[in-house]
Amino acid sequence: LRAPIIFSKMDFSHSNLFGYIEDLQELTIIERPVRRSLKTPEEIERLTVDEELSDIERAIYLLSSGQDIQGTSVVANLPVLMRQNPAETLRRVLPKIREVLHVAGVEMQLTAAVSFLTVLQEESVSIHTYSHSFLHIILQNLEHRDAGVSNAWLETLLAVIEALPKETVRHEILNPLVSKAQLSQTLQSRLVSCKIMGKVANKFEAHIIKREVLPLVKSLCQDVEYEVRTCMCRQLEHVARGIGTELTKTVVLPELVELARDEGSSVRLAAFETLVNLLDMFDADDRSQTVLPLVKSFCEKSFKADESILVSLSFHLGKLCNGLYGIFTPEQHLRFLEFYKKLSTLGLQQENGHNDNQLHLQTLEQEKKYISVRKNCAYNFPAMIVFVDPKNFHLELYSIFFCLCHDPEVPVRYTMAISFFEVAKLLNSDVYTIHKELVTLLQDESLEVLDALVGHLPEILELMTNGGENNGSESKLLSIPDLIPALTTAEQRAATSLKWRTHEKLLQKYACLPHIISSDQIYYRFLHRMLTIILTNNVLPVQKAAARTLCVYLRYNRKQEQRHEVIQKLIEQLGQGKSYWNRLRFLDTCEFIMELFSKSFFCKYFFLPVLELTHDPVANVRMKLCCLLPKVKSTLKIPTDKHLLQQLELCIRKLLCQEKDKDVLTIVKRTVLELDRMEISVDAFQKRFDENDLLDQEKERRERLLLEMEQLEKEKQKSGGRSTNINDKMFEKKRRDSKTSSVLAKSINLSVPGSSSGTSAGKEEKKSKLVRSQSFSTQVLHPKYSNIDKCPNKSSATGYTSSVSGMGKSCMLSFTDDSFRTHSTGNSGNAAFPSSSSRNLFNSADQKNNGNKESQCRKMSM
């Protein structure tokens, strides 16, 4: 709105024009310092390094006379030098790095800390050599004046301590630590000592820790600076794990009790969290007489004088309640439950009245704290279900569950969505009591909440539909009202947002719906939506996710008429679509079909439509098809699919002869070589089955089950409900088989024991390879006549390499359309909806091959 006002006031008269020119001149002045900052020839000469220098020599040169940025690059490249030449790097480069680090800047120091840690993790040298060469450099830089650099070296040292032998840690680290932990040392030095204490405590036996470590621990726990007391208090957990239960009770627990009453709030908070983490190391007496009174005082003070501990208390409350469960009286149990309920609704009760600005600011600060508290309560909700027993959920905790799922703040609802699956598992048969909250979270206005819920959506829906009273129901009627509208609404909201990853994740998880709702509900509410997404969405991962989920829906659809309709739409709208993008998605869909369905299903419906794309006008489609052809060939079985193999050979030869795009032709030649090496399954003579064959047999069995179940349903409907008990039993048995088919597929024994048949099969395989090698040798001797001995109607699996080798002249001699038209048998499976071009191809093949087989062979042999 401001632009027209500015232009309306601009005056392009002669008097004002010079003002505009002066403004432009000022802009050019701004650019001058940038130009001056470019390197001069002298500077470039000084930064240039001789290319003939070795890596070691170049590193030494740059560390000696180079600039800081060059030295930093050498330090960053230290792990590479250690891998290439560890001996020379340790002898010449590392001492130079040690010298440079004394005067190095922050960036080089941080880089060196990371490089030293990388060398340790890659194990370029032995740990003895590492401690001898690197440890002293790390210890020297621990007390750097910059806190960030000091922390970086400390992290490296803590990682090194875990790998070092005990004696090295004792002499090189623990002994000097005694002097570093004294009050006369700097604050930073004492803080570093605290963190090293916690790490060293796990390296030694209890008696060494008691004699050499515990005196330093006590001293640091009583330090005059609250930062040191806080840091040491957080390390007491590691110390306690190292010294065992007895010493923890007599040494660590008294220190924690004293620190819990410290004047510093951060010290009290650290003591409380350490007490909660060490609950499993205290016996019942310590819990009831020492820990429980402290926890009660924390809870009382949290609302009154010390709100800083409120967030931590809400975070650890679940662990605390379950850790003290055995010593609670019924009154204390109820008190802690009420305390949790109060925290769960903290800040939601608005008080009427004051409009004072100071009070408003105070409220804003408290509101952030209250949101964190409620978020922590949502995080602890599964633990609180265990605390009250899942049987008492509806009476004790359902109201809190409702409030947290409807909380006005997104972080709280997000945490509830993450923990929803854990809640559903704990409730088990009573899971139906929270179905309304599931629908609420599915319809949440925030996509973050939806994304968190979708992570375990299949498991949640399975528990919802099968975990309650409707377990084993045949019709899969929904026990969750409004679930389907909630699922469709969630998908539409994700589709209209810019967060395509959430949409992709949602579509992937929706593949579980055939196990949750009926086939008709999926067909009318979800299946066509998936097809629309494939056709209209612009994000490739989303389209692929929708395509795979659509194939899953098609796999479990129980009506043959609906399946044929979907297959027809896939072929017409995708495979024969006007947009090349849709045709590419058709090939993606065919990949999912080959993954989920049996080989015979793909050959019956999709084999010929896929081959038709060899004539596609777009090179990218033909290129993708060529990459897919090995998978396509793997679906064939001989002699059942002999005619399809001939069609595949025909398409390959046409591509070799007619393809003009260089990239496509390169892929075609590579694909031909791959196809030539492939073996085709032989139905009649196959005696040994591999893993893929057994899985394919299981897929065929499940597909037959669907057809048989559909036939039984039709017979049941025709008889008007007067079906016999035998038919009911048959239908129930097939329904159970279809349900457990996925389990059976996983439990198939894939290792078939060896037998004499396997030996004979191996001999036949060796024999076929020998024949193939002989055919290769003839091709080498006579490349010009590579196709002479091959009759065009043979279904040889090795008939492609010859086409590549003799492509130059044999295409002109014999690669005509008529010479490779093959006879189509009665097993063609014309339900695949072939186009008119493919039908004409079959008809012409029938007419020509019936009368001209001998003439074609004669023509080829000339």
Side-chain angles (χ1 to χ4, degrees), residues 607 611 633 636-638 640-652 675 680 794-798 800 822:
F607 193 94
L611 292 187
K633 184 183 176 182
L636 297 175
K637 294 181 180 179
I638 299 300
T640 307
D641 301 321
K642 180 180 179 181
H643 62 289
L644 297 179
L645 179 62
Q646 293 170 348
Q647 293 296 319
L648 178 62
E649 293 179 357
L650 176 64
C651 292
I652 288 290
L675 290 171
I680 301 180
K794 279 189 177 183
S795 59
S796 172
T798 61
Y800 302 113
T822 56

Side-chain angles (χ1 to χ4, degrees), residues 130-147:
Y130 186 91
S131 62
H132 178 73
S133 304
F134 290 88
L135 184 59
H136 292 289
I137 304 177
I138 297 173
L139 293 173
Q140 284 177 358
N141 293 278
L142 269 180
E143 299 181 14
H144 195 274
R145 59 182 178 275
D146 186 272

Side-chain angles (χ1 to χ4, degrees), residues 423-439:
V423 174
K425 280 197 303 184
L426 290 171
L427 293 181
N428 199 4
S429 60
D430 295 331
V431 70
Y432 63 90
T433 56
I434 60 172
H435 67 267
K436 293 180 181 179
E437 285 68 35
L438 173 63
V439 173

Side-chain angles (χ1 to χ4, degrees), residues 14-147:
H14 183 74
S15 60
N16 290 329
L17 185 60
F18 291 102
Y20 301 141
I21 294 175
E22 291 176 359
D23 294 338
L24 293 175
Q25 289 176 348
E26 290 179 1
L27 292 176
T28 60
I29 293 174
I30 295 174
E31 294 183 357
R32 288 176 186 172
V34 178
R35 293 178 181 176
R36 289 174 182 172
S37 66
L38 298 176
K39 301 297 181 185
T40 62
E42 292 79 8
E43 290 174 330
I44 294 175
E45 181 67 24
R46 192 165 61 250
L47 293 172
T48 304
V49 182
D50 188 2
E51 295 181 358
E52 295 181 359
L53 292 177
S54 65
D55 292 340
I56 300 293
E57 296 290 343
R58 185 183 298 110
I60 295 172
Y61 173 77
L62 292 176
L63 288 171
S64 302
S65 58
Q67 294 189 359
D68 288 343
I69 188 171
Q70 293 176 317
T72 303
S73 68
V74 172
V75 174
N77 201 43
L78 181 64
V80 179
L81 295 175
M82 288 295 299
R83 288 195 297 269
Q84 294 174 351
N85 194 345
E88 286 297 307
T89 304
L90 292 175
R91 190 175 66 87
R92 303 180 62 188
V93 179
L94 193 61
K96 202 67 183 176
I97 292 177
R98 184 173 184 173
E99 294 177 8
V100 173
L101 285 178
H102 284 296
V103 293
V106 172
E107 186 175 357
M108 186 181 292
Q109 288 276 354
L110 295 174
T111 306
V114 175
S115 294
F116 282 24
L117 182 59
T118 305
V119 172
L120 174 70
Q121 294 170 345
E122 291 181 353
E123 299 179 356
S124 303
V125 292
S126 65
I127 191 62
H128 176 74
T129 305
Y130 186 91
S131 62
H132 178 73
S133 304
F134 290 88
L135 184 59
H136 292 289
I137 304 177
I138 297 173
L139 293 173
Q140 284 177 358
N141 293 278
L142 269 180
E143 299 181 14
H144 195 274
R145 59 182 178 275
D146 186 272

Side-chain angles (χ1 to χ4, degrees), residues 501-525:
R501 288 181 177 84
T502 300
H503 193 199
E504 177 195 11
K505 184 178 178 181
L506 194 70
L507 295 176
Q508 291 172 347
K509 298 299 182 179
Y510 275 15
C512 73
L513 292 182
H515 304 288
I516 309 300
I517 59 180
S518 66
S519 176
D520 285 338
Q521 289 170 322
I522 290 176
Y523 177 76
Y524 290 110
R525 301 301 295 271

